[in-house]
Amino acid sequence: MSKLVDIPLSQWDASASMAQQTAALQALEDGQLLRLPSLAFPLQQEECPLLTGAAGSAKNISWDPSRGVRGHGDAYDAALLAALMQRYARHTHSLLVSLLPRYQPHLQQGKGSFRPVEIAGRVTSWRKDDTRLHVDSFPASPTQGRRILRVFTNIHPEHAPRVWKLGAPFEQVAQRFLPRATRPRPGVASLLQWLHVTKSRRTPYDHYMLQLHDAMKADLAYQAEVEQHSYSFAPGQTWVVFSDVVSHAALRGQHALEQTWLLPVSAMADPAKSPLAILERLLQRPLA
Ligand SMILES: [Fe+2]
């Protein structure tokens, strides 16, 4: 099965055909990635200097609708960044509403990010090294079973593509790494929440997803031997993915925008395809 499905929409608020809606829903829930090869996100003139500023060492500059911009240092104008990300979030919402009407009443807005640093050659810890295949899981922001639906756009001002690798299906990942996962220890989730290490309670689901994320990245033999394929996203292209289920790695590229949306599993056409349902089936116990 191809990992990638192209949807030729070129406007964020364009209405998707019924066939496009059906294809998009099926592809995402099956663990494929949607690419919108003609969906660019044009910057306004005053925003263009954001692509030439000194990025510093931050991997991402994150934007939380309720808390504003984080990690921008002195190199960027926070108000300008916040306005840009707010606009991007609105555009991604329009796109998802048009493409995935089934999800519309259930979408919960997560953080957004501006990713101004070249990925290739970036020095980081193994756990934060996104050039290694992984599934997404947020240590500080438990999703408690909700899906992580992310929209990305390459906004590089010239020709640099953003290059990703995609790896094995989630079921295979879970079967390989669950046997070596430790069980959640009683009291730890409450302690983490009390210490404000997590923003809400880390459920057993979040615990196992973090374990999968870390175990995948830490296993260099797995990284080398698992079947994987590269995909390129040119400037002016957008892609959408359930990044909690799709094994992915970002190899190179600079200047991308990303917006996260959270979705309750019950909103899916087929909740059995959620990582929550797959992990609960494999472990034979409720996790959220
Ligand atoms: Fe990721």
Side-chain angles (χ1 to χ4, degrees):
M1 184 166 70
S2 164
K3 298 264 187 200
L4 206 129
V5 170
D6 278 338
I7 305 274
L9 292 179
S10 54
Q11 307 234 331
W12 293 90
D13 58 356
S15 49
S17 68
M18 191 75 96
Q20 286 171 328
Q21 292 175 354
T22 306
L25 183 70
Q26 175 98 39
L28 286 174
E29 294 200 2
D30 280 347
Q32 294 170 292
L33 183 149
L34 297 185
R35 179 173 59 184
L36 297 105
S38 318
L39 188 57
F41 183 76
L43 295 196
Q44 292 171 357
Q45 193 156 18
E46 67 272 21
E47 293 165 343
C48 292
L50 293 171
L51 304 187
T52 52
S57 59
K59 171 165 117 173
N60 298 333
I61 294 169
S62 78
W63 172 72
D64 184 325
S66 56
R67 295 162 158 228
V69 178
R70 291 275 176 94
H72 60 287
D74 301 328
Y76 295 98
D77 177 335
L80 195 62
L81 271 173
L84 166 70
M85 292 191 198
Q86 208 152 28
R87 195 168 84 254
Y88 185 66
R90 276 201 310 273
H91 280 57
T92 64
H93 188 255
S94 299
L95 173 70
L96 296 180
V97 165
S98 155
L99 210 48
L100 302 155
R102 179 191 180 89
Y103 292 169
Q104 185 200 346
H106 311 288
L107 288 169
Q108 299 160 14
Q109 188 170 347
K111 287 184 190 172
S113 61
F114 169 48
R115 304 176 174 216
V117 180
E118 170 57 50
I119 299 165
R122 196 172 55 196
V123 179
T124 185
S125 68
W126 65 267
R127 193 173 267 123
K128 288 187 176 171
D129 182 1
D130 288 341
T131 66
R132 303 183 188 199
L133 286 163
H134 64 282
V135 289
D136 282 348
S137 176
F138 305 141
S141 306
T143 70
Q144 302 177 329
R146 290 171 296 171
R147 306 298 316 273
I148 301 173
L149 183 59
R150 296 185 123 172
V151 184
F152 295 84
T153 303
N154 184 345
I155 57 167
H156 194 281
E158 289 164 17
H159 312 294
R162 201 159 187 93
V163 181
W164 275 29
K165 280 192 304 195
L166 301 179
F170 185 81
E171 177 106 19
Q172 283 176 32
V173 170
Q175 276 171 352
R176 171 159 180 145
F177 291 104
L178 268 189
R180 54 176 104 159
T182 59
R183 286 180 81 119
R185 280 186 290 159
V188 170
S190 311
L191 184 64
L192 290 173
Q193 190 177 3
W194 184 70
L195 292 171
H196 301 290
V197 174
T198 58
K199 296 194 183 90
S200 59
R201 195 177 181 80
R202 184 180 287 177
T203 64
Y205 168 76
D206 297 293
H207 169 86
Y208 283 109
M209 288 298 289
L210 281 172
Q211 296 248 318
L212 293 186
H213 170 276
D214 288 358
M216 290 173 80
K217 282 189 174 175
D219 188 338
L220 292 178
Y222 174 77
Q223 294 287 333
E225 79 198 15
V226 70
E227 186 178 340
Q228 48 198 279
H229 299 280
S230 294
Y231 299 89
S232 231
F233 305 99
Q237 297 194 329
T238 292
W239 57 109
V240 186
V241 61
F242 272 126
S243 62
D244 50 5
V245 91
V246 173
S247 297
H248 62 283
L251 301 184
R252 60 192 166 89
Q254 187 184 13
H255 299 312
L257 290 173
E258 169 271 332
Q259 177 63 46
T260 297
W261 294 90
L262 298 170
L263 183 80
V265 166
S266 57
M268 294 175 65
D270 189 355
K273 291 177 178 165
S274 66
L276 175 64
I278 293 171
L279 294 182
E280 287 185 335
R281 172 164 52 76
L282 294 173
L283 292 167
Q284 299 193 317
R285 58 180 180 273
L287 297 176

